[in-house]
Amino acid sequence: MTDPESGAAVAARALSLRGPRGWVYRGVDFTARPGTLIAVEGPAGSGRTSLLLTLAGRMRPTEGSATVDGLRLPRQAAKVRRISALGPVPGVNQLDPALTVGEHIRERRQLHAPVLSLPGRRDQQVTEALARTGFAVDRLPHGPRTPVRDLDGLRMLRLATGLALTGRPRLLCVDDTDDRLHTADRAAAWQLLHQVARSGVTVLAATTDAAAADGLAGLTVHLPGATEEAAPKEAETAAVAAAKDEGAATDARV
């Protein structure tokens, strides 16, 4: 294994997932070094979400193999979950729009309370993680009392990514990276993930258009469109349910 403070190497060989009515994704092959920003590109229904959940140890593949930091999937999925974290993944762990920014931050502190015994250390770790993504609570209209529903797409991405980084993961998975973002905000989103990868964390970022990364991604994994038999929506729903059952709330080892 690599240094626990660095990113995780990720590799897939003929990795495939079959849903109730067909293939969700099939024959995925790539190798990425630690600290790589990996763009997972594909149209809606191509299995991007399911691939991210698989490599984060939250979804069991049907065929092929994958390793994360030398840990084999799916046999060592529990260990992979301890070194990986999910950024925003719709339907799995997206931010609750009814809560405030401060409530989300307090919830994340409590999540890590058993392993971070000193309150000051918990506060510092959350503050540092949010700073890495450029999320500034004091610049919000109502500070920590600002409802998440009032955040724009880029700020929401910064907050969700920062919270995911609190546990110091070695692999970060971010779904729908550029969804509902304007052109300038898309560039800022990729710059954010590029900076996270430069800090040593391996990043898997799903997108419909890897060209928006403007060369920042070190590797692009292309997923073809789903076939008519694949019933991608149904398969994606099954993947989300499985991810929740696998304990998707436990984001990363500290």
Side-chain angles (χ1 to χ4, degrees), residues 1 18 42 64 73 84 101 114 138 162 190 198:
M1 293 187 183
R18 188 177 181 87
L73 291 170
S84 65
V101 169
D138 58 356
W190 282 107
R198 287 190 63 185

Side-chain angles (χ1 to χ4, degrees), residues 153-168:
L154 182 58
R155 277 180 168 168
M156 198 169 295
L157 175 64
R158 292 187 189 279
L159 174 59
T161 303
L163 293 176
L165 292 174
T166 300
R168 296 179 180 173

Side-chain angles (χ1 to χ4, degrees), residues 89-127:
V89 178
V92 178
N93 71 330
Q94 71 269 34
L95 300 176
D96 188 336
L99 297 181
T100 66
V101 169
E103 287 171 330
H104 274 288
I105 292 174
R106 287 193 293 274
E107 182 180 62
R108 186 51 55 116
R109 289 192 186 113
Q110 292 169 1
L111 175 65
H112 294 292
V115 289
L116 293 177
S117 57
L118 298 177
R121 183 182 174 193
R122 291 200 303 269
D123 293 345
Q124 181 181 3
Q125 193 154 319
V126 173
T127 300

